[in-house]
Amino acid sequence: MLNIVLFVIAFVITLPILATIVMYYILKYLYRNPIKAFHKAINWSTFLYILAVHTLLSYLFSVNYLGYIFVLLLSILTVLIILQWKKYSEINYYKAFKLLWRLSFLLFFTLYIGLVLFGIVKSILV
């Protein structure tokens, strides 16, 4: 039983695009609203993309990049909070975290696609 659970977790981490699509269709059925289902699926799968990018970076370059990813996310959050403070002179942390999460999806989705293509090219050439 434990092996099945570990297999499912490993599958979801290594193929977050498929997990996002499955989540979207399940949420679309539950909410009956495709836009809300899309937003929820993206929000819930962002963490999977972060883990997948970390896994791919560790596999391709044999170095642990989790600390660098954490520092990158904190740096982006810091910039967002400073920009919010400069623009509105009041900080809304919920809005900053929400924007960080959406930017993280865009960043890590792009990195995931790039690293998968890099891994394919690297395995063909080596």
CSV table of all heavy atoms in Angstrom, one decimal, residues 20-75:
chain,number,residue,atom,x,y,z
A,20,THR,N,-2.3,18.9,-13.4
A,20,THR,CA,-3.0,20.1,-13.5
A,20,THR,C,-4.3,19.9,-14.4
A,20,THR,O,-5.4,20.4,-14.1
A,20,THR,CB,-2.2,21.2,-14.2
A,20,THR,OG1,-1.0,21.4,-13.4
A,20,THR,CG2,-2.9,22.5,-14.3
A,21,ILE,N,-4.1,19.1,-15.5
A,21,ILE,CA,-5.2,18.9,-16.4
A,21,ILE,C,-6.3,18.0,-15.7
A,21,ILE,O,-7.5,18.3,-15.8
A,21,ILE,CB,-4.7,18.2,-17.7
A,21,ILE,CG1,-3.9,19.2,-18.5
A,21,ILE,CG2,-5.9,17.7,-18.5
A,21,ILE,CD1,-3.1,18.5,-19.6
A,22,VAL,N,-5.9,17.0,-15.0
A,22,VAL,CA,-6.8,16.2,-14.2
A,22,VAL,C,-7.6,17.0,-13.2
A,22,VAL,O,-8.8,16.9,-13.0
A,22,VAL,CB,-6.1,15.0,-13.6
A,22,VAL,CG1,-7.0,14.2,-12.6
A,22,VAL,CG2,-5.6,14.0,-14.7
A,23,MET,N,-6.8,17.8,-12.4
A,23,MET,CA,-7.4,18.7,-11.4
A,23,MET,C,-8.4,19.6,-12.1
A,23,MET,O,-9.5,19.9,-11.5
A,23,MET,CB,-6.4,19.5,-10.7
A,23,MET,CG,-5.9,18.9,-9.4
A,23,MET,SD,-4.9,20.1,-8.5
A,23,MET,CE,-3.3,19.7,-9.1
A,24,TYR,N,-8.1,20.2,-13.2
A,24,TYR,CA,-9.0,21.1,-13.9
A,24,TYR,C,-10.3,20.4,-14.2
A,24,TYR,O,-11.4,21.0,-14.0
A,24,TYR,CB,-8.3,21.6,-15.2
A,24,TYR,CG,-9.3,22.4,-16.1
A,24,TYR,CD1,-9.8,23.7,-15.7
A,24,TYR,CD2,-9.8,21.8,-17.2
A,24,TYR,CE1,-10.7,24.4,-16.5
A,24,TYR,CE2,-10.7,22.5,-18.0
A,24,TYR,CZ,-11.1,23.8,-17.7
A,24,TYR,OH,-12.0,24.4,-18.4
A,25,TYR,N,-10.3,19.2,-14.8
A,25,TYR,CA,-11.5,18.6,-15.2
A,25,TYR,C,-12.3,18.1,-14.0
A,25,TYR,O,-13.6,18.2,-14.0
A,25,TYR,CB,-11.2,17.4,-16.1
A,25,TYR,CG,-10.9,17.8,-17.5
A,25,TYR,CD1,-9.7,17.7,-18.1
A,25,TYR,CD2,-11.9,18.5,-18.3
A,25,TYR,CE1,-9.4,18.1,-19.4
A,25,TYR,CE2,-11.7,18.9,-19.6
A,25,TYR,CZ,-10.4,18.7,-20.1
A,25,TYR,OH,-10.1,19.2,-21.4
A,26,ILE,N,-11.7,17.7,-12.9
A,26,ILE,CA,-12.4,17.4,-11.7
A,26,ILE,C,-13.1,18.6,-11.1
A,26,ILE,O,-14.3,18.6,-10.8
A,26,ILE,CB,-11.5,16.7,-10.7
A,26,ILE,CG1,-11.1,15.3,-11.2
A,26,ILE,CG2,-12.1,16.6,-9.3
A,26,ILE,CD1,-10.0,14.7,-10.4
A,27,LEU,N,-12.3,19.7,-11.0
A,27,LEU,CA,-12.9,21.0,-10.5
A,27,LEU,C,-13.9,21.6,-11.4
A,27,LEU,O,-14.9,22.2,-10.9
A,27,LEU,CB,-11.8,22.0,-10.2
A,27,LEU,CG,-10.8,21.6,-9.1
A,27,LEU,CD1,-9.6,22.5,-9.1
A,27,LEU,CD2,-11.5,21.5,-7.8
A,28,LYS,N,-13.8,21.4,-12.7
A,28,LYS,CA,-14.8,21.9,-13.6
A,28,LYS,C,-16.1,21.1,-13.4
A,28,LYS,O,-17.2,21.7,-13.5
A,28,LYS,CB,-14.3,21.7,-15.1
A,28,LYS,CG,-15.2,22.3,-16.1
A,28,LYS,CD,-14.6,22.1,-17.5
A,28,LYS,CE,-15.6,22.4,-18.6
A,28,LYS,NZ,-15.1,22.1,-19.9
A,29,TYR,N,-16.0,19.9,-13.2
A,29,TYR,CA,-17.2,19.1,-12.9
A,29,TYR,C,-17.8,19.5,-11.6
A,29,TYR,O,-19.1,19.6,-11.5
A,29,TYR,CB,-16.9,17.6,-12.9
A,29,TYR,CG,-18.0,16.7,-12.5
A,29,TYR,CD1,-19.0,16.4,-13.4
A,29,TYR,CD2,-18.1,16.1,-11.3
A,29,TYR,CE1,-20.1,15.6,-13.1
A,29,TYR,CE2,-19.2,15.3,-10.9
A,29,TYR,CZ,-20.2,15.1,-11.8
A,29,TYR,OH,-21.2,14.3,-11.5
A,30,LEU,N,-17.0,19.7,-10.6
A,30,LEU,CA,-17.5,20.1,-9.2
A,30,LEU,C,-18.1,21.5,-9.2
A,30,LEU,O,-19.2,21.7,-8.6
A,30,LEU,CB,-16.4,20.0,-8.2
A,30,LEU,CG,-15.9,18.6,-7.9
A,30,LEU,CD1,-14.8,18.6,-6.9
A,30,LEU,CD2,-17.1,17.7,-7.3
A,31,TYR,N,-17.4,22.5,-9.8
A,31,TYR,CA,-17.8,23.9,-9.7
A,31,TYR,C,-18.8,24.3,-10.8
A,31,TYR,O,-19.5,25.3,-10.6
A,31,TYR,CB,-16.6,24.8,-9.7
A,31,TYR,CG,-15.8,24.8,-8.5
A,31,TYR,CD1,-14.4,24.6,-8.6
A,31,TYR,CD2,-16.3,25.0,-7.3
A,31,TYR,CE1,-13.6,24.6,-7.4
A,31,TYR,CE2,-15.5,25.1,-6.1
A,31,TYR,CZ,-14.2,24.8,-6.2
A,31,TYR,OH,-13.4,24.8,-5.1
A,32,ARG,N,-18.8,23.6,-11.9
A,32,ARG,CA,-19.6,23.9,-13.1
A,32,ARG,C,-19.2,25.3,-13.6
A,32,ARG,O,-20.1,26.0,-14.2
A,32,ARG,CB,-21.1,23.8,-12.7
A,32,ARG,CG,-21.5,22.6,-12.1
A,32,ARG,CD,-22.5,21.8,-13.0
A,32,ARG,NE,-23.1,20.7,-12.3
A,32,ARG,CZ,-22.7,19.5,-12.5
A,32,ARG,NH1,-21.8,19.2,-13.4
A,32,ARG,NH2,-23.3,18.5,-11.9
A,33,ASN,N,-18.0,25.7,-13.3
A,33,ASN,CA,-17.6,27.0,-13.8
A,33,ASN,C,-16.1,26.8,-14.3
A,33,ASN,O,-15.2,26.7,-13.5
A,33,ASN,CB,-17.6,28.1,-12.7
A,33,ASN,CG,-17.2,29.5,-13.1
A,33,ASN,OD1,-16.7,29.6,-14.2
A,33,ASN,ND2,-17.5,30.4,-12.3
A,34,PRO,N,-15.9,26.9,-15.6
A,34,PRO,CA,-14.5,26.6,-16.1
A,34,PRO,C,-13.5,27.6,-15.7
A,34,PRO,O,-12.3,27.2,-15.5
A,34,PRO,CB,-14.7,26.6,-17.6
A,34,PRO,CG,-16.0,27.2,-17.9
A,34,PRO,CD,-16.8,27.1,-16.7
A,35,ILE,N,-13.8,28.9,-15.5
A,35,ILE,CA,-12.9,29.9,-15.1
A,35,ILE,C,-12.4,29.6,-13.7
A,35,ILE,O,-11.2,29.7,-13.4
A,35,ILE,CB,-13.4,31.3,-15.3
A,35,ILE,CG1,-13.6,31.5,-16.8
A,35,ILE,CG2,-12.5,32.3,-14.7
A,35,ILE,CD1,-14.4,32.8,-17.1
A,36,LYS,N,-13.4,29.4,-12.8
A,36,LYS,CA,-13.0,29.1,-11.4
A,36,LYS,C,-12.2,27.8,-11.3
A,36,LYS,O,-11.3,27.8,-10.5
A,36,LYS,CB,-14.3,29.1,-10.6
A,36,LYS,CG,-14.1,29.0,-9.1
A,36,LYS,CD,-15.4,29.1,-8.3
A,36,LYS,CE,-15.1,29.1,-6.8
A,36,LYS,NZ,-16.4,29.2,-6.1
A,37,ALA,N,-12.6,26.8,-12.0
A,37,ALA,CA,-11.9,25.6,-12.0
A,37,ALA,C,-10.4,25.8,-12.5
A,37,ALA,O,-9.5,25.2,-11.9
A,37,ALA,CB,-12.6,24.6,-12.9
A,38,PHE,N,-10.3,26.6,-13.5
A,38,PHE,CA,-8.9,26.9,-14.0
A,38,PHE,C,-8.0,27.5,-13.0
A,38,PHE,O,-6.9,27.1,-12.7
A,38,PHE,CB,-9.0,27.7,-15.3
A,38,PHE,CG,-7.7,28.1,-15.9
A,38,PHE,CD1,-6.9,27.2,-16.6
A,38,PHE,CD2,-7.1,29.4,-15.7
A,38,PHE,CE1,-5.7,27.5,-17.1
A,38,PHE,CE2,-5.9,29.7,-16.2
A,38,PHE,CZ,-5.2,28.7,-17.0
A,39,HIS,N,-8.6,28.5,-12.3
A,39,HIS,CA,-7.8,29.3,-11.3
A,39,HIS,C,-7.5,28.3,-10.1
A,39,HIS,O,-6.4,28.4,-9.6
A,39,HIS,CB,-8.6,30.5,-10.8
A,39,HIS,CG,-8.6,31.6,-11.8
A,39,HIS,ND1,-7.6,32.5,-11.8
A,39,HIS,CD2,-9.5,32.0,-12.7
A,39,HIS,CE1,-7.8,33.4,-12.8
A,39,HIS,NE2,-9.0,33.1,-13.3
A,40,LYS,N,-8.4,27.5,-9.7
A,40,LYS,CA,-8.2,26.6,-8.6
A,40,LYS,C,-7.1,25.6,-9.0
A,40,LYS,O,-6.2,25.2,-8.2
A,40,LYS,CB,-9.5,25.9,-8.1
A,40,LYS,CG,-10.5,26.8,-7.5
A,40,LYS,CD,-10.1,27.2,-6.1
A,40,LYS,CE,-11.2,28.1,-5.5
A,40,LYS,NZ,-10.8,28.6,-4.2
A,41,ALA,N,-7.2,25.0,-10.2
A,41,ALA,CA,-6.3,24.0,-10.6
A,41,ALA,C,-4.9,24.6,-10.7
A,41,ALA,O,-3.9,24.0,-10.3
A,41,ALA,CB,-6.7,23.5,-12.0
A,42,ILE,N,-4.8,25.8,-11.2
A,42,ILE,CA,-3.4,26.5,-11.2
A,42,ILE,C,-2.9,26.7,-9.8
A,42,ILE,O,-1.7,26.5,-9.5
A,42,ILE,CB,-3.5,27.8,-12.0
A,42,ILE,CG1,-3.9,27.5,-13.5
A,42,ILE,CG2,-2.3,28.6,-11.9
A,42,ILE,CD1,-3.0,26.7,-14.2
A,43,ASN,N,-3.7,27.2,-8.9
A,43,ASN,CA,-3.3,27.5,-7.6
A,43,ASN,C,-2.8,26.2,-6.9
A,43,ASN,O,-1.8,26.2,-6.2
A,43,ASN,CB,-4.4,28.1,-6.7
A,43,ASN,CG,-4.6,29.6,-7.0
A,43,ASN,OD1,-3.6,30.3,-7.5
A,43,ASN,ND2,-5.7,30.1,-6.8
A,44,TRP,N,-3.6,25.1,-7.0
A,44,TRP,CA,-3.2,23.9,-6.4
A,44,TRP,C,-2.0,23.2,-7.0
A,44,TRP,O,-1.3,22.4,-6.3
A,44,TRP,CB,-4.4,23.0,-6.3
A,44,TRP,CG,-5.5,23.4,-5.4
A,44,TRP,CD1,-5.5,24.6,-4.6
A,44,TRP,CD2,-6.8,22.8,-5.2
A,44,TRP,NE1,-6.7,24.7,-3.9
A,44,TRP,CE2,-7.5,23.6,-4.3
A,44,TRP,CE3,-7.4,21.7,-5.7
A,44,TRP,CZ2,-8.7,23.3,-3.9
A,44,TRP,CZ3,-8.6,21.4,-5.3
A,44,TRP,CH2,-9.3,22.2,-4.4
A,45,SER,N,-1.8,23.4,-8.3
A,45,SER,CA,-0.7,22.7,-8.9
A,45,SER,C,0.7,23.5,-8.9
A,45,SER,O,1.7,23.0,-9.3
A,45,SER,CB,-1.0,22.4,-10.3
A,45,SER,OG,-1.2,23.5,-11.1
A,46,THR,N,0.6,24.8,-8.4
A,46,THR,CA,1.9,25.5,-8.4
A,46,THR,C,2.9,24.9,-7.6
A,46,THR,O,4.1,24.8,-7.9
A,46,THR,CB,1.6,27.0,-7.9
A,46,THR,OG1,0.7,27.6,-8.7
A,46,THR,CG2,2.9,27.8,-7.8
A,47,PHE,N,2.5,24.3,-6.4
A,47,PHE,CA,3.5,23.6,-5.5
A,47,PHE,C,4.1,22.4,-6.3
A,47,PHE,O,5.3,22.1,-6.1
A,47,PHE,CB,2.8,23.2,-4.2
A,47,PHE,CG,3.7,22.6,-3.2
A,47,PHE,CD1,4.7,23.4,-2.6
A,47,PHE,CD2,3.6,21.3,-2.9
A,47,PHE,CE1,5.6,22.8,-1.7
A,47,PHE,CE2,4.5,20.7,-2.0
A,47,PHE,CZ,5.5,21.5,-1.4
A,48,LEU,N,3.3,21.7,-7.1
A,48,LEU,CA,3.8,20.6,-7.8
A,48,LEU,C,4.9,21.0,-8.8
A,48,LEU,O,5.9,20.3,-9.0
A,48,LEU,CB,2.7,19.9,-8.6
A,48,LEU,CG,1.6,19.2,-7.7
A,48,LEU,CD1,0.5,18.7,-8.6
A,48,LEU,CD2,2.2,18.2,-6.8
A,49,TYR,N,4.7,22.2,-9.5
A,49,TYR,CA,5.7,22.7,-10.4
A,49,TYR,C,7.0,23.1,-9.7
A,49,TYR,O,8.0,22.8,-10.2
A,49,TYR,CB,5.1,23.9,-11.2
A,49,TYR,CG,4.2,23.4,-12.3
A,49,TYR,CD1,2.8,23.6,-12.1
A,49,TYR,CD2,4.6,22.9,-13.5
A,49,TYR,CE1,1.9,23.2,-13.1
A,49,TYR,CE2,3.7,22.5,-14.4
A,49,TYR,CZ,2.4,22.6,-14.2
A,49,TYR,OH,1.5,22.2,-15.2
A,50,ILE,N,6.8,23.6,-8.5
A,50,ILE,CA,8.0,24.0,-7.8
A,50,ILE,C,8.8,22.7,-7.4
A,50,ILE,O,10.0,22.6,-7.6
A,50,ILE,CB,7.7,24.8,-6.5
A,50,ILE,CG1,7.1,26.1,-6.9
A,50,ILE,CG2,8.9,24.9,-5.6
A,50,ILE,CD1,6.5,26.9,-5.7
A,51,LEU,N,8.1,21.7,-6.9
A,51,LEU,CA,8.8,20.4,-6.6
A,51,LEU,C,9.4,19.7,-7.9
A,51,LEU,O,10.4,19.2,-7.9
A,51,LEU,CB,7.8,19.5,-6.0
A,51,LEU,CG,7.4,19.8,-4.5
A,51,LEU,CD1,6.4,18.8,-4.0
A,51,LEU,CD2,8.6,19.8,-3.6
A,52,ALA,N,8.6,19.8,-9.0
A,52,ALA,CA,9.1,19.2,-10.2
A,52,ALA,C,10.4,19.9,-10.7
A,52,ALA,O,11.3,19.2,-11.2
A,52,ALA,CB,8.0,19.3,-11.3
A,53,VAL,N,10.4,21.2,-10.7
A,53,VAL,CA,11.6,22.0,-11.1
A,53,VAL,C,12.8,21.6,-10.2
A,53,VAL,O,13.9,21.4,-10.7
A,53,VAL,CB,11.4,23.5,-11.1
A,53,VAL,CG1,12.7,24.3,-11.2
A,53,VAL,CG2,10.4,23.9,-12.2
A,54,HIS,N,12.5,21.5,-8.9
A,54,HIS,CA,13.6,21.1,-8.0
A,54,HIS,C,14.1,19.7,-8.3
A,54,HIS,O,15.3,19.5,-8.4
A,54,HIS,CB,13.1,21.2,-6.5
A,54,HIS,CG,14.0,20.5,-5.6
A,54,HIS,ND1,15.3,20.9,-5.3
A,54,HIS,CD2,13.9,19.3,-4.8
A,54,HIS,CE1,15.9,20.1,-4.4
A,54,HIS,NE2,15.0,19.1,-4.2
A,55,THR,N,13.2,18.8,-8.6
A,55,THR,CA,13.6,17.4,-8.9
A,55,THR,C,14.3,17.4,-10.2
A,55,THR,O,15.4,16.7,-10.3
A,55,THR,CB,12.3,16.5,-9.0
A,55,THR,OG1,11.5,16.6,-7.8
A,55,THR,CG2,12.6,15.1,-9.3
A,56,LEU,N,13.9,18.1,-11.2
A,56,LEU,CA,14.6,18.1,-12.5
A,56,LEU,C,16.0,18.7,-12.4
A,56,LEU,O,17.0,18.2,-12.9
A,56,LEU,CB,13.8,18.9,-13.6
A,56,LEU,CG,12.6,18.1,-14.1
A,56,LEU,CD1,11.8,19.0,-15.0
A,56,LEU,CD2,13.1,16.9,-15.0
A,57,LEU,N,16.1,19.8,-11.6
A,57,LEU,CA,17.4,20.5,-11.4
A,57,LEU,C,18.4,19.5,-10.7
A,57,LEU,O,19.5,19.4,-11.0
A,57,LEU,CB,17.3,21.8,-10.6
A,57,LEU,CG,16.7,23.0,-11.4
A,57,LEU,CD1,16.4,24.1,-10.5
A,57,LEU,CD2,17.7,23.4,-12.5
A,58,SER,N,17.8,18.8,-9.7
A,58,SER,CA,18.7,17.9,-8.9
A,58,SER,C,19.1,16.7,-9.8
A,58,SER,O,20.2,16.3,-9.7
A,58,SER,CB,17.9,17.4,-7.7
A,58,SER,OG,17.6,18.4,-6.8
A,59,TYR,N,18.2,16.3,-10.6
A,59,TYR,CA,18.5,15.1,-11.5
A,59,TYR,C,19.5,15.5,-12.6
A,59,TYR,O,20.5,14.8,-12.9
A,59,TYR,CB,17.3,14.6,-12.2
A,59,TYR,CG,17.5,13.5,-13.2
A,59,TYR,CD1,17.9,12.2,-12.8
A,59,TYR,CD2,17.4,13.8,-14.5
A,59,TYR,CE1,18.1,11.2,-13.7
A,59,TYR,CE2,17.7,12.8,-15.5
A,59,TYR,CZ,18.0,11.5,-15.0
A,59,TYR,OH,18.3,10.5,-15.9
A,60,LEU,N,19.3,16.7,-13.2
A,60,LEU,CA,20.2,17.1,-14.3
A,60,LEU,C,21.5,17.6,-13.9
A,60,LEU,O,22.5,17.3,-14.6
A,60,LEU,CB,19.5,18.2,-15.1
A,60,LEU,CG,18.2,17.8,-15.9
A,60,LEU,CD1,17.6,19.0,-16.5
A,60,LEU,CD2,18.6,16.8,-17.0
A,61,PHE,N,21.6,18.2,-12.8
A,61,PHE,CA,22.9,18.8,-12.4
A,61,PHE,C,23.5,18.3,-11.1
A,61,PHE,O,24.5,18.7,-10.6
A,61,PHE,CB,22.7,20.4,-12.2
A,61,PHE,CG,22.2,21.0,-13.5
A,61,PHE,CD1,21.0,21.6,-13.5
A,61,PHE,CD2,23.0,21.0,-14.6
A,61,PHE,CE1,20.5,22.2,-14.7
A,61,PHE,CE2,22.5,21.6,-15.8
A,61,PHE,CZ,21.3,22.2,-15.8
A,62,SER,N,22.8,17.3,-10.5
A,62,SER,CA,23.3,16.6,-9.3
A,62,SER,C,23.6,17.6,-8.1
A,62,SER,O,24.6,17.3,-7.4
A,62,SER,CB,24.5,15.7,-9.6
A,62,SER,OG,24.2,14.8,-10.6
A,63,VAL,N,22.8,18.6,-8.0
A,63,VAL,CA,23.0,19.6,-6.9
A,63,VAL,C,21.6,19.8,-6.3
A,63,VAL,O,20.6,19.9,-7.0
A,63,VAL,CB,23.7,20.9,-7.4
A,63,VAL,CG1,23.8,21.9,-6.3
A,63,VAL,CG2,25.0,20.6,-8.0
A,64,ASN,N,21.5,20.1,-5.0
A,64,ASN,CA,20.3,20.4,-4.3
A,64,ASN,C,20.0,21.9,-4.5
A,64,ASN,O,20.8,22.7,-4.0
A,64,ASN,CB,20.3,20.0,-2.9
A,64,ASN,CG,19.0,20.2,-2.2
A,64,ASN,OD1,18.0,20.6,-2.8
A,64,ASN,ND2,19.0,19.9,-0.9
A,65,TYR,N,18.9,22.2,-5.2
A,65,TYR,CA,18.6,23.6,-5.4
A,65,TYR,C,17.4,24.1,-4.6
A,65,TYR,O,16.9,25.2,-4.9
A,65,TYR,CB,18.2,23.8,-6.9
A,65,TYR,CG,19.4,23.8,-7.8
A,65,TYR,CD1,19.8,22.6,-8.5
A,65,TYR,CD2,20.2,24.9,-8.0
A,65,TYR,CE1,20.9,22.6,-9.3
A,65,TYR,CE2,21.3,24.9,-8.9
A,65,TYR,CZ,21.6,23.7,-9.5
A,65,TYR,OH,22.7,23.7,-10.3
A,66,LEU,N,17.0,23.4,-3.6
A,66,LEU,CA,15.8,23.8,-2.8
A,66,LEU,C,16.1,25.1,-2.1
A,66,LEU,O,15.2,26.0,-2.0
A,66,LEU,CB,15.4,22.7,-1.8
A,66,LEU,CG,14.1,22.8,-1.2
A,66,LEU,CD1,13.0,22.8,-2.3
A,66,LEU,CD2,13.8,21.6,-0.3
A,67,GLY,N,17.2,25.3,-1.6
A,67,GLY,CA,17.6,26.6,-0.9
A,67,GLY,C,17.5,27.7,-1.8
A,67,GLY,O,17.0,28.8,-1.5
A,68,TYR,N,18.1,27.5,-3.0
A,68,TYR,CA,18.1,28.6,-4.0
A,68,TYR,C,16.6,29.0,-4.4
A,68,TYR,O,16.3,30.2,-4.6
A,68,TYR,CB,18.9,28.2,-5.3
A,68,TYR,CG,20.3,28.0,-5.0
A,68,TYR,CD1,20.9,26.8,-5.0
A,68,TYR,CD2,21.1,29.1,-4.6
A,68,TYR,CE1,22.3,26.6,-4.8
A,68,TYR,CE2,22.5,29.0,-4.4
A,68,TYR,CZ,23.0,27.7,-4.5
A,68,TYR,OH,24.4,27.6,-4.2
A,69,ILE,N,15.8,28.0,-4.6
A,69,ILE,CA,14.4,28.2,-4.9
A,69,ILE,C,13.7,29.0,-3.8
A,69,ILE,O,13.0,30.0,-4.0
A,69,ILE,CB,13.7,26.9,-5.2
A,69,ILE,CG1,14.2,26.3,-6.5
A,69,ILE,CG2,12.2,27.1,-5.3
A,69,ILE,CD1,13.7,24.9,-6.8
A,70,PHE,N,14.0,28.6,-2.6
A,70,PHE,CA,13.4,29.3,-1.4
A,70,PHE,C,13.8,30.8,-1.4
A,70,PHE,O,13.0,31.7,-1.2
A,70,PHE,CB,13.8,28.6,-0.1
A,70,PHE,CG,13.1,29.1,1.1
A,70,PHE,CD1,11.7,29.0,1.3
A,70,PHE,CD2,13.8,29.7,2.1
A,70,PHE,CE1,11.1,29.5,2.4
A,70,PHE,CE2,13.2,30.2,3.2
A,70,PHE,CZ,11.8,30.1,3.4
A,71,VAL,N,15.1,31.0,-1.6
A,71,VAL,CA,15.7,32.4,-1.6
A,71,VAL,C,15.1,33.2,-2.8
A,71,VAL,O,14.7,34.4,-2.6
A,71,VAL,CB,17.2,32.4,-1.7
A,71,VAL,CG1,17.8,33.8,-1.9
A,71,VAL,CG2,17.8,31.8,-0.4
A,72,LEU,N,14.9,32.5,-3.9
A,72,LEU,CA,14.3,33.2,-5.1
A,72,LEU,C,12.9,33.7,-4.7
A,72,LEU,O,12.5,34.8,-5.0
A,72,LEU,CB,14.3,32.3,-6.3
A,72,LEU,CG,13.6,32.8,-7.5
A,72,LEU,CD1,14.3,34.0,-8.1
A,72,LEU,CD2,13.4,31.7,-8.5
A,73,LEU,N,12.1,32.8,-4.1
A,73,LEU,CA,10.7,33.1,-3.8
A,73,LEU,C,10.7,34.2,-2.7
A,73,LEU,O,9.8,35.1,-2.8
A,73,LEU,CB,10.0,31.9,-3.3
A,73,LEU,CG,9.7,30.8,-4.3
A,73,LEU,CD1,9.1,29.5,-3.7
A,73,LEU,CD2,8.7,31.3,-5.4
A,74,LEU,N,11.5,34.2,-1.8
A,74,LEU,CA,11.6,35.2,-0.8
A,74,LEU,C,12.0,36.6,-1.4
A,74,LEU,O,11.5,37.6,-1.0
A,74,LEU,CB,12.5,34.9,0.4
A,74,LEU,CG,12.0,33.9,1.4
A,74,LEU,CD1,13.1,33.5,2.4
A,74,LEU,CD2,10.7,34.4,2.1
A,75,SER,N,12.9,36.5,-2.3
A,75,SER,CA,13.4,37.7,-3.0
A,75,SER,C,12.2,38.4,-3.8
A,75,SER,O,12.0,39.6,-3.8
A,75,SER,CB,14.5,37.5,-3.9
A,75,SER,OG,15.6,37.0,-3.2
